[in-house]
């Protein structure tokens, strides 16, 4: 059998290839009629549609964000209207009522109520540790009239100016916070008796003034932030990401709660011990900062429940 003329085979292959190329280039600039319909639709889609979709998505995200901020603000207003910044002294037995539906906390609550008879609830607004620390410091000075402690804290307040400036902060921005803290602490120790006003009335008036109360908190926050920056080698290993960014977002910013790093820095700068009772399921845990400080030298004791601090009194 003849294998055929090789020239004819070559011509046929060339013709087939030419037809294929020709088919793929029918009506240049127009969609190929042999392409799937979904590809045709994509090619024919108006490019303005993409921009419209992007704009619609951006508007949706913006609206959702604004709604979340509005909801958060409404919750904040509700909390402000319904709860004081620091409550009156109440029995710790109220915790039994708070946790009656959580049976796993029963033993831990009992341990707390056996050790502490009273507590003061602090508003849940992200500042509860700082407010607890400051309130108890002022309260202790008012009640105990402890001159050594007063002089120690005044010294730390004065030292804060150099510490804050040394670590890159604009003192003109911090100065008002400093002045309010210094004047109120000085007044608390030196003028309270002369004013013939009770400790509770004085502290209620001071801490119910939101602007003044925030100034006190801001001052402590910036003391801690500057202390953390100056001693970053001790603390930055516990933080993910850039340490400076973390300080800006988690320490300087109002309404951001304190974790153990901020608490340790607060204790180390002011040299005032803090005891934390952690309310865990089944059994509570006690931690002291610093660990070696004698119990009788720690007068700031807070109860930590998930995400919140309240004051405890023996």
């Amino acid at each position: 059998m003849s294998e055929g003329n090789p020239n004819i085979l070559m011509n046929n292959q060339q013709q087939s290839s030419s037809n294929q190329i020709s088919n793929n280039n029918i009506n240049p600039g127009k969609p190929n009629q042999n392409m799937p319909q979904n590809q045709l639709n994509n090619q024919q889609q108006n490019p303005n549609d993409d921009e419209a979709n992007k704009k619609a998505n951006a508007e949706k995200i913006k609206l959702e964000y604004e709604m979340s901020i509005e909801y958060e603000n409404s919750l904040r207003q509700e909390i402000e209207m319904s709860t004081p910044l620091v409550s009156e002294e109440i029995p710790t037995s109220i915790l039994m009522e708070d946790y009656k539906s959580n049976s796993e906390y029963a033993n831990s609550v009992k341990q707390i109520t056996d050790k502490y008879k009273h507590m003061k609830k602090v508003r849940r607004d992200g500042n509860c540790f700082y407010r607890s620390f400051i309130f108890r410091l002022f309260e202790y000075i008012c009640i105990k009239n402890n001159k050594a402690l007063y002089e120690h804290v005044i010294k730390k307040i004065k030292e804060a100016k150099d510490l804050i400036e040394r670590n890159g902060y604009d003192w003109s921005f911090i100065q008002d916070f400093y002045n309010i803290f210094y004047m109120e602490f000085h007044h608390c120790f030196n003028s309270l008796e002369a004013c013939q006003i009770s400790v509770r009335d004085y502290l209620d008036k001071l801490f119910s003034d939101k602007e003044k109360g925030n100034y006190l908190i801001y001052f402590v926050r910036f003391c801690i932030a500057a202390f953390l920056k100056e001693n970053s080698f001790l603390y930055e290993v516990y933080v993910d990401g850039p340490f400076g960014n973390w300080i800006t977002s988690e320490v300087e910013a109002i309404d951001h709660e304190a974790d153990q790093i901020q608490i340790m820095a607060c204790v180390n700068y002011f040299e005032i011990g803090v005891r934390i009772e952690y309310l865990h399921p089944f059994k509570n845990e006690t931690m002291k900062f610093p660990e070696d400080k004698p119990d009788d030298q720690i007068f700031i004791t807070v109860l930590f429940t998930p995400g919140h601090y309240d004051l405890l009194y023996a």
Side-chain angles (χ1 to χ4, degrees):
M1 179 186 293
S2 172
E3 293 180 359
N5 188 331
N7 291 328
I8 295 174
L9 289 173
M10 184 177 293
N11 289 336
N12 288 340
Q13 288 175 348
Q14 289 173 342
Q15 181 65 35
S16 174
S17 175
S18 175
N19 289 340
Q20 185 175 2
I21 294 171
S22 177
N23 286 337
N24 285 338
N25 290 277
I26 295 173
N27 296 324
K30 295 183 180 180
N32 191 330
Q33 300 301 317
N34 296 324
M35 294 175 67
Q37 186 62 38
N38 63 335
Q39 287 182 259
L40 288 173
N41 291 340
N42 287 338
Q43 285 191 1
Q44 294 171 345
Q45 185 176 356
N46 189 333
N48 290 333
D49 290 346
D50 285 341
E51 290 301 319
N53 288 336
K54 289 178 181 178
K55 185 175 181 180
N57 287 334
E59 290 293 332
K60 181 182 178 182
I61 292 170
K62 180 182 177 183
L63 179 61
E64 290 175 350
Y65 174 76
E66 289 174 349
M67 290 175 64
S68 68
I69 293 297
E70 184 178 347
Y71 178 68
E72 183 178 324
N73 288 338
S74 67
L75 285 179
R76 193 185 304 278
Q77 290 174 3
E78 183 179 340
I79 291 171
E80 288 180 0
M81 293 176 63
S82 60
T83 60
L85 290 168
V86 181
S87 77
E88 295 183 355
E89 197 171 86
I90 55 178
T92 52
S93 57
I94 198 170
L95 293 170
M96 296 179 181
E97 181 68 20
D98 293 345
Y99 286 89
K100 67 179 180 181
S101 60
N102 297 307
S103 57
E104 67 270 24
Y105 282 91
N107 186 52
S108 186
V109 167
K110 185 178 186 305
Q111 291 176 354
I112 294 295
T113 56
D114 286 346
K115 291 171 68 174
Y116 304 94
K117 299 306 178 186
H118 300 95
M119 65 184 297
K120 289 179 180 176
K121 290 195 172 186
V122 182
R123 182 181 291 174
R124 292 176 176 267
D125 61 0
N127 299 304
C128 50
F129 172 78
Y130 299 99
R131 184 169 285 114
S132 297
F133 181 88
I134 297 167
F135 182 93
R136 184 60 178 140
L137 181 60
F138 273 69
E139 183 181 46
Y140 194 85
I141 286 292
C142 288
I143 294 172
K144 299 296 184 180
N145 204 36
N146 188 318
K147 186 175 182 181
L149 178 62
Y150 165 77
E151 291 176 346
H152 170 76
V153 175
I154 287 292
K155 180 173 178 287
K156 287 296 180 181
I157 295 170
K158 291 179 178 178
E159 288 175 354
K161 182 179 185 298
D162 288 339
L163 173 69
I164 289 169
E165 287 186 314
R166 209 163 52 232
N167 286 279
Y169 292 105
D170 182 358
W171 180 248
S172 63
F173 174 70
I174 313 294
Q175 189 170 8
D176 285 346
F177 310 148
Y178 168 89
N179 288 340
I180 290 294
F181 201 103
Y182 181 91
M183 288 189 299
E184 291 297 338
F185 196 75
H186 177 79
H187 175 81
C188 174
F189 182 76
N190 292 285
S191 308
L192 191 61
E193 186 175 345
C195 293
Q196 296 183 336
I197 184 173
S198 71
V199 170
R200 181 67 216 186
D201 288 342
Y202 166 73
L203 294 175
D204 276 346
K205 183 177 180 182
L206 175 60
F207 283 86
S208 63
D209 184 329
K210 185 177 179 181
E211 181 179 6
K212 191 175 286 188
N214 282 346
Y215 275 27
L216 299 177
I217 291 169
Y218 267 129
F219 176 72
V220 172
R221 282 183 179 274
F222 278 101
C223 286
I224 295 171
F227 182 82
L228 285 167
K229 284 186 176 184
E230 189 151 283
N231 298 277
S232 58
F233 66 97
L234 294 173
Y235 300 97
E236 62 187 353
V237 293
Y238 302 108
V239 172
D240 294 328
F243 193 55
N245 292 348
W246 177 84
I247 289 175
T248 299
S249 62
E250 300 299 325
V251 184
E252 297 170 12
I254 201 79
D255 298 343
H256 279 252
E257 192 49 79
D259 291 322
Q260 283 197 17
I261 297 175
Q262 294 96 309
I263 294 172
M264 286 190 294
C266 185
V267 167
N268 289 336
Y269 177 67
F270 286 99
E271 297 178 330
I272 293 172
V274 171
R275 182 189 295 107
I276 304 177
E277 296 285 356
Y278 289 88
L279 192 68
H280 291 310
F282 308 112
K283 184 179 180 180
N284 75 294
E285 177 185 357
T286 304
M287 293 187 69
K288 291 193 304 182
F289 298 96
E291 293 182 359
D292 58 351
K293 198 169 187 69
D295 284 343
D296 60 359
Q297 293 183 23
I298 296 179
F299 59 88
I300 297 178
T301 302
V302 294
L303 171 67
F304 177 80
T305 53
H308 184 62
Y309 296 90
D310 290 307
L311 280 163
L312 286 172
Y313 297 82

